[in-house]
Amino acid sequence: MTALLATANEALNQRKERINPRWYPRYHLAPPAGWMNDPNGLSWFDGYYHAFYQHYPWQPVWGPMHWGHARSRDMVNWEHLPIALAPEGPEDKDGCFSGSAVVDGNKLALIYTGHKFDGEAKEENLYQVQCLATSTDGVHFERQGMVLDTPQGVHHFRDPKVWKEGESWYMVVGARVDDVGEVQLYRSQDLQHWQFASTLAQADDGMGYMWECPDLFPLDDKLVFMFSPQGIAAEGYNYRNLFQSGYMVGEWQDNHQFHVTHPFQEMDHGHDFYAPQSFITPDGRRVVIGWLSMWESPMPEQADGWAGMLTLPREVTLDADLRLRMNPVKELESLRGQLHVWPVSDLNNRTLMVEEQALALEVELSLDIARSQAEQYGIALGDGLRVFVDTQAQRLVLERRYPQHGLSGCRSVPLPANDVLDLRLFIDSSSVEIFVNHGEYTLSSRIYPEPDDRQLTLFSQNGHAIFNNGHAWPLAAK
């Protein structure tokens, strides 16, 4: 281990003993201390799932990026490992930015962006290059240096995602070219030498000035192009976050030209979801994990010595309309404790408490929207979180209200065309993830209830609401 890595790990070990655990997640992956953003290098190697992430161990703020590292046998119970990468080379002296991981023979290979300034930290001095590091044990990595330089005239060029087709490796990289977002495709035979193949996709008017964290993967007989565009303006209920994450569906044409058949759609409709990355499980499922935070949003946990967390792992599939559906991986059921069945039926303009202390909980709730007339009805956590049907707007709304932390506002999705609304909620110390009608929509947001404000209630306002059934499992990591 290099001196800089050793110092970073020592600092992390000291700081993790001093964090305030009031909002620290019980079953989500978060940094032991310090800062976390994008998931990186999601992969399966040598009997473990590996999750790396953008990390600053010294303080709970964004700083010169390192790669934090954790591994798991089941995507549920995570073991923190030593920091894998630190910004210590000429090619990444100002940060080891996001990237991916692939298995190459008996090695786990990390392909990441080296972030550096040539002189003063100004835009014109910025260069982002793609770098390689390898490991035979999945824990200690040997840096191989730069493998792809910045294209001429480009400064923002980052977040490589690598995969193998046949005998060739392919890599997509996000770029900002003349203030237009695009993704470039490269090809290699050895992970060391890369040749430009094509411009995979480019932003049309209004589709953003930078496309971060690109990912391209097959589902059924289609290709899903997933990315995080910066610079899209809000449109009604859509694109309400500062930055978005979404996908297009398409197919290869001659010479690895990507043809879009279904245009951009948002992946998650909550307040906090960014930089998702996918990987394949040993049994062939495509799984996505994202950053469960949002740039420039208040992060009250910074006062507690840590910041940022990752979403639950989600299996992704395409439905008959070629819409991406996300559902929690089946392994999460191992966290369940004893089932709590709620006495739910018809609520007429009243509130029913169903859990006194919802700290780490999985909830399943079925609402009869065809026979319910209440103006608003749903589920609430304390005074700060409500998830409810707005009958007049015909939408499912996630509302959070933590004005003391500068966090208030709503996100919403349309109600389904059928008569029943099935919700699956995962509540943790400072997050909620909602899966609507078996993955038709998801909404993920950070929440910050006080310890005495975690009562879970069902409610109806101004009329009857029919709750077909409701139950919950306490969740606990093994």
Side-chain angles (χ1 to χ4, degrees), residues 175-382:
R176 180 176 181 174
V177 180
D178 297 326
D179 283 334
V180 175
E182 68 175 44
V183 169
Q184 298 180 2
L185 177 69
Y186 292 82
R187 179 185 297 153
S188 173
Q189 299 303 310
D190 59 5
L191 295 178
Q192 297 269 0
H193 305 88
W194 294 89
Q195 296 80 41
F196 177 80
S198 67
T199 298
L200 186 84
Q202 191 175 55
D204 297 325
D205 289 345
M207 273 302 295
Y209 57 79
M210 177 67 197
W211 285 4
E212 292 195 314
C213 304
D215 196 345
L216 188 72
F217 55 87
L219 273 183
D220 302 328
D221 59 347
K222 295 295 183 181
L223 285 173
V224 176
F225 171 41
M226 186 172 72
F227 61 106
S228 296
Q230 296 182 325
I232 299 181
E235 294 179 6
Y237 291 113
N238 298 323
Y239 315 135
R240 301 308 306 178
N241 291 332
L242 179 63
F243 301 117
Q244 321 305 322
S245 293
Y247 66 97
M248 300 173 179
V249 177
E251 55 197 12
W252 284 132
Q253 290 186 333
D254 294 341
N255 258 349
H256 276 81
Q257 299 293 319
F258 180 68
H259 173 63
V260 176
T261 58
H262 291 70
F264 182 80
Q265 297 192 63
E266 288 180 89
M267 284 185 69
D268 188 286
H269 297 264
H271 297 85
D272 298 289
F273 183 86
Y274 194 71
Q277 187 177 110
S278 80
F279 63 101
I280 286 284
T281 64
D283 61 1
R285 290 171 290 162
R286 178 67 61 170
V287 173
V288 164
I289 297 176
W291 182 39
L292 188 43
S293 295
M294 180 54 58
W295 294 114
E296 299 186 29
S297 179
M299 301 172 74
E301 73 269 24
Q302 287 176 303
D304 296 344
W306 68 282
M309 57 191 289
L310 300 186
T311 69
L312 296 175
R314 306 168 177 192
E315 182 179 358
V316 293
T317 56
L318 284 175
D319 65 18
D321 298 320
L322 296 184
R323 286 172 48 92
L324 199 66
R325 287 183 177 244
M326 295 192 289
N327 283 288
V329 296
K330 60 188 179 183
E331 287 87 345
L332 288 162
E333 295 177 10
S334 69
L335 294 174
R336 290 174 175 173
Q338 185 175 0
L339 178 67
H340 298 180
V341 179
W342 300 339
V344 298
S345 56
D346 180 349
L347 290 184
N348 183 16
N349 203 29
R350 69 186 184 95
T351 296
L352 172 68
M353 189 179 75
V354 290
E355 298 285 341
E356 292 185 7
Q357 183 76 353
L359 180 61
L361 207 65
E362 178 188 350
V363 172
E364 290 186 344
L365 187 65
S366 179
L367 308 175
D368 190 328
I369 55 179
R371 294 192 299 138
S372 298
Q373 291 86 38
E375 289 184 8
Q376 295 183 356
Y377 57 97
I379 189 168
L381 178 65

Side-chain angles (χ1 to χ4, degrees), residues 50-159:
H50 289 262
F52 302 85
Y53 51 88
Q54 292 286 276
H55 183 41
Y56 187 58
W58 301 93
Q59 295 181 62
V61 297
W62 190 91
M65 286 292 95
H66 298 54
W67 271 39
H69 187 195
R71 69 182 180 185
S72 171
R73 295 284 192 185
D74 57 8
M75 294 185 283
V76 177
N77 299 283
W78 293 94
E79 171 195 3
H80 287 285
L81 295 174
I83 296 168
L85 296 173
E88 55 187 344
E91 67 280 348
D92 60 16
K93 64 184 181 67
D94 296 305
C96 300
F97 275 21
S98 292
S100 54
V102 294
V103 178
D104 183 22
N106 68 339
K107 294 182 179 180
L108 182 63
L110 309 183
I111 304 92
Y112 68 98
T113 295
H115 179 72
K116 60 180 181 177
F117 290 96
D118 185 8
E120 193 175 351
K122 294 182 178 179
E123 181 84 6
E124 60 267 25
N125 297 329
L126 171 64
Y127 295 93
Q128 294 182 329
V129 302
Q130 312 319 313
C131 303
L132 177 67
T134 59
S135 172
T136 55
D137 65 4
V139 179
H140 306 93
F141 290 85
E142 183 178 348
R143 302 157 61 91
Q144 308 295 328
M146 183 183 74
V147 295
L148 180 62
D149 204 350
T150 314
Q152 188 69 31
V154 174
H155 293 283
H156 294 269
F157 179 62
R158 57 183 175 266
D159 309 339

